[in-house]
Amino acid sequence: MHRYKRPLIALTALALLSACGGGATAAGDGGDEGTPVKGGTLRLAFWDDQQGCIDPNQVYWIESRSLNRQFADSLTDQDPETGKIVPWLATSWKINDDATKYTFELRDDVTFSDGTAFDAAAVKTAFDATHDLGAKSLLGLTYTAGYKSSKVIDDHTVEVDFDTPNAAFLQATSTTTLSILSPKTYEQTPEERCTGENLVGTGAFTLDSYTAATEAHLTRRDDYAWPSQLVKNQGAAYLDAIEVSYIKEDSVRVGSLTSGSVDIAWPRLPISEADQKVIEATGASVESRSLPGISSSYFPNVTEGRVLADEKVRQALQKAIDRKSYASTIFWADYPVVTGPFDSTTPYSTDGSAALAHDLEGAKKLLDEAGWSAGADGYRTKDGKTLTLTIPVRDTTPGDQLVQDQLKQAGFRVELKVLTLAQYQAAAAGGEYDLLGTYYTRADPSVLGSVLDQAVSQAGTAQLSQAGATADEISGLFRAGLEATDDGKRSGAYADLQQEILEQGVMFPLYERVQTAGISAKVHGFAWTSEAFLRANDIWVDQ
């Protein structure tokens, strides 16, 4: 059994790889001994399902995407260790010099779970439908940026054309967002697809039922025989079924694992050090992997009249956050400290630690220069106005309160505004905030365009976080990253982008996101995908 390992994430190799990746725990690295046995049901407990949608083309909720991976396959797969893109439903591909034309050769032995054949027409239907979702697919919006059309060359050859270069598209074809569903599935409306009814893929499992935030049930496909080369088990899954429940309370979820009521406890935030010890004491283990994509960060509202419209105030804020203390206080002593806009398993992530260094005196000096004077109560004022940052939250967490305390030391007053989901969404859309926290998961740096690139996103985090020349510079760097088919040029564009973002205070990284999962001793063959989702093909359970 794979025992608990602290989440020490491979950092150094990533920036050097041409098509990078990496992480703490490899796919298929279950470390199990023994002969797999067929049968049994895996009982998996997630923490929540706030998006309430299971359609892989629409969903951004990472727990739902873990389920998507079990019933919906993609054209390619991505190695979690190297970042290399490998064949899956596509056996090979060609890309033209300016990344505007991709030609895929497809397997001829694949069927959807409704019995229909997987072919080039199905790929065209899926890509057209995903692109047509527009803003309903926050991730698909950038994955298919510049999409023009797909063309069926023959039954097993499909060509995908773009109006503008999209060098990130090959990686996008490995994601759950661009997984291929049966053409009949797309005869339903996007809203109907969200419910999971008649959602048909080519995966190792079929989705039998899904009730948002309540339960899901998947059953093995006995005729499955087309996993990627990253999967050890090249045939049908060992498990008979997967049962999914949602348990919000950490203590209840961990208790369900240690009592044997569930086999995997899968939280959103890392399992606490205390709960890890409880889990270990029962003979279970904890697996971990840094989630690739945008680190957990704040994004500013720099609209004129807001305090963060002043560049010096933004630079002061960057210096006032003590990220090392945050990681060790909120998580544990050697929890990885965030080093930039991206988590460390993201290809082309760079080390921006110097720009993120805690410098309280430097922050105070910048605020002095900006005209904010320290008051007797510890908060700074200017023209009778207190230096206040409003942050909308769903619930206040120890992390929120720690940030509140850290920023007070520099003279910021942080107002944590607790809102319902609807109120939160309205505040985000209406720009009723100074800082807004968010993140997205994808093993490619272009994912940040969904949040920050004004040229492609209408989100407040894009439209309100930057202005003028800075916005033009950032959109230009995103464009350069998508145009570069040469690894060196792509790496350079994203390095410049990360530097610009940090220097201009367009983004305030807070902590590295680490996915952890508590695993019962009866579970073997646990594996992560490149996006730190569950890969259940190799899992088997003691009978």
Side-chain angles (χ1 to χ4, degrees), residues 131-178:
H131 179 255
D132 289 347
L133 286 169
K136 290 181 179 176
S137 177
L138 292 176
L139 296 176
L141 201 62
T142 52
Y143 290 21
T144 61
Y147 181 82
K148 180 180 180 181
S149 64
S150 292
K151 185 188 304 178
V152 175
I153 305 301
D154 59 40
D155 284 351
H156 299 105
T157 307
V158 63
E159 178 184 296
V160 184
D161 294 306
F162 292 84
D163 287 321
T164 55
N166 187 341
F169 183 68
L170 183 62
Q171 189 279 334
T173 65
S174 74
T175 66
T176 54
T177 302
L178 294 192

mmCIF file of all heavy atoms in Angstrom, residues 131-178:
data_model
loop_
_atom_site.group_PDB
_atom_site.id
_atom_site.type_symbol
_atom_site.label_atom_id
_atom_site.label_comp_id
_atom_site.label_asym_id
_atom_site.label_seq_id
_atom_site.Cartn_x
_atom_site.Cartn_y
_atom_site.Cartn_z
ATOM 1 N N HIS A 131 -17.507 24.339 -28.390
ATOM 2 C CA HIS A 131 -17.243 25.729 -28.769
ATOM 3 C C HIS A 131 -18.519 26.555 -28.715
ATOM 4 O O HIS A 131 -18.518 27.714 -28.266
ATOM 5 C CB HIS A 131 -16.634 25.778 -30.169
ATOM 6 C CG HIS A 131 -16.347 27.168 -30.632
ATOM 7 N ND1 HIS A 131 -17.103 27.831 -31.565
ATOM 8 C CD2 HIS A 131 -15.392 28.048 -30.255
ATOM 9 C CE1 HIS A 131 -16.623 29.042 -31.754
ATOM 10 N NE2 HIS A 131 -15.580 29.198 -30.975
ATOM 11 N N ASP A 132 -19.625 25.956 -29.139
ATOM 12 C CA ASP A 132 -20.905 26.677 -29.140
ATOM 13 C C ASP A 132 -21.401 27.001 -27.733
ATOM 14 O O ASP A 132 -22.282 27.860 -27.576
ATOM 15 C CB ASP A 132 -21.975 25.854 -29.874
ATOM 16 C CG ASP A 132 -21.730 25.807 -31.382
ATOM 17 O OD1 ASP A 132 -20.905 26.599 -31.870
ATOM 18 O OD2 ASP A 132 -22.340 24.952 -32.054
ATOM 19 N N LEU A 133 -20.865 26.329 -26.725
ATOM 20 C CA LEU A 133 -21.281 26.626 -25.353
ATOM 21 C C LEU A 133 -20.899 28.040 -24.943
ATOM 22 O O LEU A 133 -21.528 28.628 -24.056
ATOM 23 C CB LEU A 133 -20.635 25.623 -24.381
ATOM 24 C CG LEU A 133 -21.216 24.220 -24.375
ATOM 25 C CD1 LEU A 133 -20.308 23.289 -23.583
ATOM 26 C CD2 LEU A 133 -22.628 24.218 -23.791
ATOM 27 N N GLY A 134 -19.858 28.584 -25.558
ATOM 28 C CA GLY A 134 -19.430 29.942 -25.214
ATOM 29 C C GLY A 134 -19.142 30.080 -23.734
ATOM 30 O O GLY A 134 -18.426 29.268 -23.148
ATOM 31 N N ALA A 135 -19.728 31.105 -23.119
ATOM 32 C CA ALA A 135 -19.455 31.396 -21.707
ATOM 33 C C ALA A 135 -20.002 30.327 -20.766
ATOM 34 O O ALA A 135 -19.669 30.333 -19.578
ATOM 35 C CB ALA A 135 -20.042 32.753 -21.349
ATOM 36 N N LYS A 136 -20.846 29.407 -21.275
ATOM 37 C CA LYS A 136 -21.316 28.325 -20.407
ATOM 38 C C LYS A 136 -20.207 27.339 -20.086
ATOM 39 O O LYS A 136 -20.340 26.536 -19.175
ATOM 40 C CB LYS A 136 -22.486 27.583 -21.078
ATOM 41 C CG LYS A 136 -23.763 28.403 -21.149
ATOM 42 C CD LYS A 136 -24.882 27.628 -21.799
ATOM 43 C CE LYS A 136 -26.155 28.483 -21.826
ATOM 44 N NZ LYS A 136 -27.262 27.804 -22.534
ATOM 45 N N SER A 137 -19.141 27.381 -20.863
ATOM 46 C CA SER A 137 -17.974 26.540 -20.598
ATOM 47 C C SER A 137 -16.781 27.454 -20.348
ATOM 48 O O SER A 137 -16.061 27.825 -21.275
ATOM 49 C CB SER A 137 -17.688 25.611 -21.781
ATOM 50 O OG SER A 137 -16.518 24.857 -21.533
ATOM 51 N N LEU A 138 -16.581 27.829 -19.074
ATOM 52 C CA LEU A 138 -15.521 28.780 -18.744
ATOM 53 C C LEU A 138 -14.154 28.269 -19.175
ATOM 54 O O LEU A 138 -13.294 29.039 -19.608
ATOM 55 C CB LEU A 138 -15.530 29.059 -17.241
ATOM 56 C CG LEU A 138 -16.743 29.838 -16.714
ATOM 57 C CD1 LEU A 138 -16.689 29.954 -15.201
ATOM 58 C CD2 LEU A 138 -16.812 31.224 -17.356
ATOM 59 N N LEU A 139 -13.957 26.972 -19.049
ATOM 60 C CA LEU A 139 -12.675 26.408 -19.458
ATOM 61 C C LEU A 139 -12.620 26.229 -20.971
ATOM 62 O O LEU A 139 -11.623 26.558 -21.613
ATOM 63 C CB LEU A 139 -12.434 25.074 -18.748
ATOM 64 C CG LEU A 139 -12.297 25.163 -17.227
ATOM 65 C CD1 LEU A 139 -12.168 23.773 -16.624
ATOM 66 C CD2 LEU A 139 -11.097 26.004 -16.843
ATOM 67 N N GLY A 140 -13.708 25.734 -21.547
ATOM 68 C CA GLY A 140 -13.727 25.510 -22.992
ATOM 69 C C GLY A 140 -13.517 26.777 -23.791
ATOM 70 O O GLY A 140 -13.017 26.757 -24.921
ATOM 71 N N LEU A 141 -13.884 27.897 -23.184
ATOM 72 C CA LEU A 141 -13.749 29.191 -23.856
ATOM 73 C C LEU A 141 -12.310 29.444 -24.298
ATOM 74 O O LEU A 141 -12.060 29.921 -25.411
ATOM 75 C CB LEU A 141 -14.193 30.293 -22.882
ATOM 76 C CG LEU A 141 -14.622 31.639 -23.447
ATOM 77 C CD1 LEU A 141 -15.845 31.485 -24.331
ATOM 78 C CD2 LEU A 141 -14.946 32.603 -22.299
ATOM 79 N N THR A 142 -11.382 29.121 -23.423
ATOM 80 C CA THR A 142 -9.972 29.327 -23.793
ATOM 81 C C THR A 142 -9.366 28.080 -24.437
ATOM 82 O O THR A 142 -8.467 28.187 -25.259
ATOM 83 C CB THR A 142 -9.130 29.713 -22.564
ATOM 84 O OG1 THR A 142 -9.356 28.759 -21.520
ATOM 85 C CG2 THR A 142 -9.507 31.094 -22.082
ATOM 86 N N TYR A 143 -9.869 26.907 -24.089
ATOM 87 C CA TYR A 143 -9.323 25.686 -24.711
ATOM 88 C C TYR A 143 -9.542 25.730 -26.229
ATOM 89 O O TYR A 143 -8.735 25.233 -27.000
ATOM 90 C CB TYR A 143 -10.021 24.442 -24.155
ATOM 91 C CG TYR A 143 -9.705 24.095 -22.725
ATOM 92 C CD1 TYR A 143 -9.200 25.031 -21.834
ATOM 93 C CD2 TYR A 143 -9.925 22.812 -22.248
ATOM 94 C CE1 TYR A 143 -8.924 24.717 -20.520
ATOM 95 C CE2 TYR A 143 -9.657 22.473 -20.927
ATOM 96 C CZ TYR A 143 -9.166 23.437 -20.082
ATOM 97 O OH TYR A 143 -8.909 23.102 -18.775
ATOM 98 N N THR A 144 -10.676 26.296 -26.649
ATOM 99 C CA THR A 144 -11.000 26.337 -28.073
ATOM 100 C C THR A 144 -10.820 27.755 -28.652
ATOM 101 O O THR A 144 -11.417 28.080 -29.677
ATOM 102 C CB THR A 144 -12.450 25.872 -28.313
ATOM 103 O OG1 THR A 144 -13.340 26.750 -27.613
ATOM 104 C CG2 THR A 144 -12.665 24.448 -27.837
ATOM 105 N N ALA A 145 -10.010 28.572 -28.004
ATOM 106 C CA ALA A 145 -9.807 29.950 -28.468
ATOM 107 C C ALA A 145 -9.390 29.969 -29.935
ATOM 108 O O ALA A 145 -8.460 29.263 -30.333
ATOM 109 C CB ALA A 145 -8.743 30.631 -27.615
ATOM 110 N N GLY A 146 -10.078 30.744 -30.733
ATOM 111 C CA GLY A 146 -9.760 30.836 -32.154
ATOM 112 C C GLY A 146 -10.346 29.723 -32.997
ATOM 113 O O GLY A 146 -10.097 29.666 -34.209
ATOM 114 N N TYR A 147 -11.173 28.863 -32.384
ATOM 115 C CA TYR A 147 -11.741 27.709 -33.111
ATOM 116 C C TYR A 147 -12.571 28.173 -34.310
ATOM 117 O O TYR A 147 -13.418 29.067 -34.207
ATOM 118 C CB TYR A 147 -12.616 26.910 -32.161
ATOM 119 C CG TYR A 147 -13.254 25.673 -32.752
ATOM 120 C CD1 TYR A 147 -12.544 24.484 -32.853
ATOM 121 C CD2 TYR A 147 -14.576 25.692 -33.195
ATOM 122 C CE1 TYR A 147 -13.141 23.337 -33.377
ATOM 123 C CE2 TYR A 147 -15.180 24.554 -33.716
ATOM 124 C CZ TYR A 147 -14.463 23.376 -33.806
ATOM 125 O OH TYR A 147 -15.057 22.241 -34.329
ATOM 126 N N LYS A 148 -12.309 27.554 -35.441
ATOM 127 C CA LYS A 148 -13.049 27.876 -36.669
ATOM 128 C C LYS A 148 -14.035 26.768 -37.005
ATOM 129 O O LYS A 148 -15.240 27.002 -37.130
ATOM 130 C CB LYS A 148 -12.074 28.080 -37.822
ATOM 131 C CG LYS A 148 -12.718 28.421 -39.146
ATOM 132 C CD LYS A 148 -11.632 28.602 -40.224
ATOM 133 C CE LYS A 148 -12.230 28.945 -41.581
ATOM 134 N NZ LYS A 148 -11.144 29.080 -42.606
ATOM 135 N N SER A 149 -13.518 25.550 -37.146
ATOM 136 C CA SER A 149 -14.387 24.426 -37.501
ATOM 137 C C SER A 149 -13.593 23.130 -37.418
ATOM 138 O O SER A 149 -12.365 23.135 -37.330
ATOM 139 C CB SER A 149 -14.925 24.594 -38.926
ATOM 140 O OG SER A 149 -13.844 24.557 -39.854
ATOM 141 N N SER A 150 -14.331 22.034 -37.452
ATOM 142 C CA SER A 150 -13.719 20.714 -37.593
ATOM 143 C C SER A 150 -14.235 20.096 -38.884
ATOM 144 O O SER A 150 -15.390 20.302 -39.262
ATOM 145 C CB SER A 150 -14.071 19.816 -36.404
ATOM 146 O OG SER A 150 -13.459 20.273 -35.226
ATOM 147 N N LYS A 151 -13.362 19.357 -39.531
ATOM 148 C CA LYS A 151 -13.711 18.777 -40.827
ATOM 149 C C LYS A 151 -13.458 17.262 -40.795
ATOM 150 O O LYS A 151 -12.371 16.820 -40.392
ATOM 151 C CB LYS A 151 -12.844 19.425 -41.918
ATOM 152 C CG LYS A 151 -13.186 18.998 -43.332
ATOM 153 C CD LYS A 151 -12.147 19.553 -44.321
ATOM 154 C CE LYS A 151 -12.029 21.067 -44.228
ATOM 155 N NZ LYS A 151 -10.975 21.588 -45.153
ATOM 156 N N VAL A 152 -14.456 16.500 -41.219
ATOM 157 C CA VAL A 152 -14.284 15.053 -41.307
ATOM 158 C C VAL A 152 -13.560 14.724 -42.618
ATOM 159 O O VAL A 152 -14.101 14.940 -43.702
ATOM 160 C CB VAL A 152 -15.653 14.333 -41.258
ATOM 161 C CG1 VAL A 152 -15.468 12.831 -41.469
ATOM 162 C CG2 VAL A 152 -16.355 14.617 -39.937
ATOM 163 N N ILE A 153 -12.339 14.227 -42.501
ATOM 164 C CA ILE A 153 -11.555 13.868 -43.691
ATOM 165 C C ILE A 153 -11.969 12.482 -44.178
ATOM 166 O O ILE A 153 -12.204 12.253 -45.356
ATOM 167 C CB ILE A 153 -10.044 13.893 -43.387
ATOM 168 C CG1 ILE A 153 -9.644 15.271 -42.825
ATOM 169 C CG2 ILE A 153 -9.244 13.551 -44.639
ATOM 170 C CD1 ILE A 153 -9.941 16.433 -43.749
ATOM 171 N N ASP A 154 -12.054 11.544 -43.256
ATOM 172 C CA ASP A 154 -12.641 10.220 -43.510
ATOM 173 C C ASP A 154 -13.119 9.699 -42.164
ATOM 174 O O ASP A 154 -13.070 10.423 -41.162
ATOM 175 C CB ASP A 154 -11.649 9.274 -44.201
ATOM 176 C CG ASP A 154 -10.382 9.040 -43.398
ATOM 177 O OD1 ASP A 154 -10.480 8.911 -42.160
ATOM 178 O OD2 ASP A 154 -9.296 8.997 -43.984
ATOM 179 N N ASP A 155 -13.579 8.470 -42.095
ATOM 180 C CA ASP A 155 -14.191 7.971 -40.854
ATOM 181 C C ASP A 155 -13.264 8.102 -39.642
ATOM 182 O O ASP A 155 -13.742 8.259 -38.510
ATOM 183 C CB ASP A 155 -14.594 6.502 -41.013
ATOM 184 C CG ASP A 155 -15.864 6.355 -41.839
ATOM 185 O OD1 ASP A 155 -16.496 7.395 -42.129
ATOM 186 O OD2 ASP A 155 -16.208 5.211 -42.198
ATOM 187 N N HIS A 156 -11.964 8.028 -39.897
ATOM 188 C CA HIS A 156 -11.040 8.006 -38.768
ATOM 189 C C HIS A 156 -9.956 9.073 -38.885
ATOM 190 O O HIS A 156 -8.861 8.922 -38.343
ATOM 191 C CB HIS A 156 -10.417 6.601 -38.630
ATOM 192 C CG HIS A 156 -11.455 5.553 -38.382
ATOM 193 N ND1 HIS A 156 -11.860 4.663 -39.356
ATOM 194 C CD2 HIS A 156 -12.233 5.293 -37.300
ATOM 195 C CE1 HIS A 156 -12.815 3.894 -38.878
ATOM 196 N NE2 HIS A 156 -13.062 4.251 -37.640
ATOM 197 N N THR A 157 -10.278 10.143 -39.580
ATOM 198 C CA THR A 157 -9.369 11.291 -39.657
ATOM 199 C C THR A 157 -10.188 12.561 -39.529
ATOM 200 O O THR A 157 -11.182 12.747 -40.242
ATOM 201 C CB THR A 157 -8.609 11.318 -41.002
ATOM 202 O OG1 THR A 157 -7.972 10.054 -41.216
ATOM 203 C CG2 THR A 157 -7.556 12.428 -41.000
ATOM 204 N N VAL A 158 -9.797 13.415 -38.627
ATOM 205 C CA VAL A 158 -10.518 14.665 -38.433
ATOM 206 C C VAL A 158 -9.509 15.812 -38.401
ATOM 207 O O VAL A 158 -8.425 15.690 -37.831
ATOM 208 C CB VAL A 158 -11.369 14.630 -37.142
ATOM 209 C CG1 VAL A 158 -10.501 14.470 -35.897
ATOM 210 C CG2 VAL A 158 -12.242 15.866 -37.023
ATOM 211 N N GLU A 159 -9.892 16.921 -39.025
ATOM 212 C CA GLU A 159 -9.040 18.114 -39.062
ATOM 213 C C GLU A 159 -9.728 19.214 -38.260
ATOM 214 O O GLU A 159 -10.918 19.471 -38.431
ATOM 215 C CB GLU A 159 -8.840 18.557 -40.507
ATOM 216 C CG GLU A 159 -8.018 19.826 -40.679
ATOM 217 C CD GLU A 159 -7.966 20.234 -42.150
ATOM 218 O OE1 GLU A 159 -7.404 19.460 -42.943
ATOM 219 O OE2 GLU A 159 -8.519 21.302 -42.484
ATOM 220 N N VAL A 160 -8.971 19.862 -37.394
ATOM 221 C CA VAL A 160 -9.499 20.950 -36.568
ATOM 222 C C VAL A 160 -8.776 22.235 -36.967
ATOM 223 O O VAL A 160 -7.545 22.304 -36.901
ATOM 224 C CB VAL A 160 -9.302 20.661 -35.070
ATOM 225 C CG1 VAL A 160 -9.953 21.756 -34.228
ATOM 226 C CG2 VAL A 160 -9.872 19.298 -34.703
ATOM 227 N N ASP A 161 -9.545 23.227 -37.384
ATOM 228 C CA ASP A 161 -8.960 24.481 -37.888
ATOM 229 C C ASP A 161 -9.273 25.645 -36.956
ATOM 230 O O ASP A 161 -10.358 25.729 -36.370
ATOM 231 C CB ASP A 161 -9.515 24.785 -39.283
ATOM 232 C CG ASP A 161 -9.060 23.749 -40.303
ATOM 233 O OD1 ASP A 161 -7.844 23.526 -40.418
ATOM 234 O OD2 ASP A 161 -9.936 23.143 -40.961
ATOM 235 N N PHE A 162 -8.314 26.568 -36.891
ATOM 236 C CA PHE A 162 -8.450 27.761 -36.046
ATOM 237 C C PHE A 162 -8.229 29.013 -36.895
ATOM 238 O O PHE A 162 -7.404 29.019 -37.808
ATOM 239 C CB PHE A 162 -7.415 27.724 -34.914
ATOM 240 C CG PHE A 162 -7.670 26.631 -33.904
ATOM 241 C CD1 PHE A 162 -7.210 25.337 -34.132
ATOM 242 C CD2 PHE A 162 -8.386 26.892 -32.749
ATOM 243 C CE1 PHE A 162 -7.462 24.325 -33.216
ATOM 244 C CE2 PHE A 162 -8.646 25.890 -31.833
ATOM 245 C CZ PHE A 162 -8.184 24.595 -32.059
ATOM 246 N N ASP A 163 -8.961 30.070 -36.546
ATOM 247 C CA ASP A 163 -8.744 31.360 -37.198
ATOM 248 C C ASP A 163 -7.453 32.008 -36.712
ATOM 249 O O ASP A 163 -6.820 32.775 -37.433
ATOM 250 C CB ASP A 163 -9.923 32.303 -36.906
ATOM 251 C CG ASP A 163 -11.168 31.892 -37.671
ATOM 252 O OD1 ASP A 163 -11.046 31.473 -38.838
ATOM 253 O OD2 ASP A 163 -12.270 31.991 -37.091
ATOM 254 N N THR A 164 -7.117 31.739 -35.464
ATOM 255 C CA THR A 164 -5.878 32.270 -34.888
ATOM 256 C C THR A 164 -5.107 31.131 -34.237
ATOM 257 O O THR A 164 -5.701 30.121 -33.853
ATOM 258 C CB THR A 164 -6.199 33.339 -33.816
ATOM 259 O OG1 THR A 164 -7.086 32.760 -32.831
ATOM 260 C CG2 THR A 164 -6.879 34.558 -34.443
ATOM 261 N N PRO A 165 -3.796 31.258 -34.096
ATOM 262 C CA PRO A 165 -2.993 30.158 -33.539
ATOM 263 C C PRO A 165 -3.464 29.754 -32.142
ATOM 264 O O PRO A 165 -3.830 30.603 -31.322
ATOM 265 C CB PRO A 165 -1.585 30.759 -33.490
ATOM 266 C CG PRO A 165 -1.574 31.795 -34.571
ATOM 267 C CD PRO A 165 -2.947 32.394 -34.546
ATOM 268 N N ASN A 166 -3.419 28.460 -31.893
ATOM 269 C CA ASN A 166 -3.755 27.931 -30.572
ATOM 270 C C ASN A 166 -2.790 26.792 -30.260
ATOM 271 O O ASN A 166 -3.099 25.622 -30.423
ATOM 272 C CB ASN A 166 -5.202 27.446 -30.529
ATOM 273 C CG ASN A 166 -5.631 27.057 -29.112
ATOM 274 O OD1 ASN A 166 -4.790 26.820 -28.243
ATOM 275 N ND2 ASN A 166 -6.922 27.003 -28.886
ATOM 276 N N ALA A 167 -1.591 27.185 -29.804
ATOM 277 C CA ALA A 167 -0.549 26.195 -29.532
ATOM 278 C C ALA A 167 -0.869 25.342 -28.316
ATOM 279 O O ALA A 167 -0.211 24.331 -28.074
ATOM 280 C CB ALA A 167 0.787 26.910 -29.321
ATOM 281 N N ALA A 168 -1.861 25.747 -27.540
ATOM 282 C CA ALA A 168 -2.235 24.981 -26.344
ATOM 283 C C ALA A 168 -3.296 23.930 -26.643
ATOM 284 O O ALA A 168 -3.696 23.186 -25.745
ATOM 285 C CB ALA A 168 -2.755 25.932 -25.261
ATOM 286 N N PHE A 169 -3.756 23.848 -27.881
ATOM 287 C CA PHE A 169 -4.891 22.974 -28.175
ATOM 288 C C PHE A 169 -4.562 21.496 -28.011
ATOM 289 O O PHE A 169 -5.411 20.720 -27.561
ATOM 290 C CB PHE A 169 -5.423 23.233 -29.584
ATOM 291 C CG PHE A 169 -6.648 22.414 -29.913
ATOM 292 C CD1 PHE A 169 -7.859 22.647 -29.272
ATOM 293 C CD2 PHE A 169 -6.584 21.391 -30.842
ATOM 294 C CE1 PHE A 169 -8.984 21.888 -29.553
ATOM 295 C CE2 PHE A 169 -7.699 20.619 -31.145
ATOM 296 C CZ PHE A 169 -8.904 20.868 -30.498
ATOM 297 N N LEU A 170 -3.332 21.090 -28.353
ATOM 298 C CA LEU A 170 -3.011 19.663 -28.213
ATOM 299 C C LEU A 170 -3.167 19.241 -26.755
ATOM 300 O O LEU A 170 -3.769 18.198 -26.469
ATOM 301 C CB LEU A 170 -1.593 19.371 -28.704
ATOM 302 C CG LEU A 170 -1.222 17.885 -28.660
ATOM 303 C CD1 LEU A 170 -2.124 17.067 -29.570
ATOM 304 C CD2 LEU A 170 0.247 17.673 -29.035
ATOM 305 N N GLN A 171 -2.656 20.044 -25.821
ATOM 306 C CA GLN A 171 -2.834 19.717 -24.397
ATOM 307 C C GLN A 171 -4.315 19.744 -24.052
ATOM 308 O O GLN A 171 -4.790 18.913 -23.262
ATOM 309 C CB GLN A 171 -2.039 20.699 -23.525
ATOM 310 C CG GLN A 171 -1.972 20.311 -22.046
ATOM 311 C CD GLN A 171 -3.215 20.690 -21.250
ATOM 312 O OE1 GLN A 171 -3.934 21.622 -21.614
ATOM 313 N NE2 GLN A 171 -3.461 19.965 -20.165
ATOM 314 N N ALA A 172 -5.044 20.672 -24.643
ATOM 315 C CA ALA A 172 -6.486 20.759 -24.345
ATOM 316 C C ALA A 172 -7.206 19.467 -24.719
ATOM 317 O O ALA A 172 -8.177 19.082 -24.049
ATOM 318 C CB ALA A 172 -7.101 21.943 -25.086
ATOM 319 N N THR A 173 -6.730 18.798 -25.776
ATOM 320 C CA THR A 173 -7.407 17.560 -26.186
ATOM 321 C C THR A 173 -7.196 16.426 -25.187
ATOM 322 O O THR A 173 -7.825 15.381 -25.308
ATOM 323 C CB THR A 173 -6.941 17.079 -27.575
ATOM 324 O OG1 THR A 173 -5.544 16.714 -27.523
ATOM 325 C CG2 THR A 173 -7.167 18.140 -28.636
ATOM 326 N N SER A 174 -6.323 16.626 -24.200
ATOM 327 C CA SER A 174 -6.124 15.600 -23.168
ATOM 328 C C SER A 174 -7.040 15.817 -21.964
ATOM 329 O O SER A 174 -7.112 14.959 -21.085
ATOM 330 C CB SER A 174 -4.666 15.617 -22.694
ATOM 331 O OG SER A 174 -4.403 16.739 -21.859
ATOM 332 N N THR A 175 -7.734 16.943 -21.926
ATOM 333 C CA THR A 175 -8.503 17.293 -20.732
ATOM 334 C C THR A 175 -9.907 16.702 -20.753
ATOM 335 O O THR A 175 -10.436 16.332 -21.810
ATOM 336 C CB THR A 175 -8.628 18.825 -20.617
ATOM 337 O OG1 THR A 175 -9.418 19.317 -21.712
ATOM 338 C CG2 THR A 175 -7.259 19.500 -20.643
ATOM 339 N N THR A 176 -10.510 16.675 -19.579
ATOM 340 C CA THR A 176 -11.906 16.238 -19.504
ATOM 341 C C THR A 176 -12.827 17.236 -20.208
ATOM 342 O O THR A 176 -13.871 16.854 -20.733
ATOM 343 C CB THR A 176 -12.346 16.094 -18.036
ATOM 344 O OG1 THR A 176 -12.072 17.320 -17.341
ATOM 345 C CG2 THR A 176 -11.605 14.964 -17.354
ATOM 346 N N THR A 177 -12.430 18.512 -20.220
ATOM 347 C CA THR A 177 -13.281 19.527 -20.849
ATOM 348 C C THR A 177 -13.516 19.235 -22.325
ATOM 349 O O THR A 177 -14.602 19.470 -22.843
ATOM 350 C CB THR A 177 -12.639 20.921 -20.682
ATOM 351 O OG1 THR A 177 -12.463 21.178 -19.286
ATOM 352 C CG2 THR A 177 -13.501 22.011 -21.299
ATOM 353 N N LEU A 178 -12.510 18.718 -23.001
ATOM 354 C CA LEU A 178 -12.662 18.386 -24.423
ATOM 355 C C LEU A 178 -12.796 16.883 -24.636
ATOM 356 O O LEU A 178 -12.414 16.369 -25.687
ATOM 357 C CB LEU A 178 -11.495 18.955 -25.233
ATOM 358 C CG LEU A 178 -11.411 20.482 -25.309
ATOM 359 C CD1 LEU A 178 -10.389 20.911 -26.365
ATOM 360 C CD2 LEU A 178 -12.765 21.108 -25.622
#
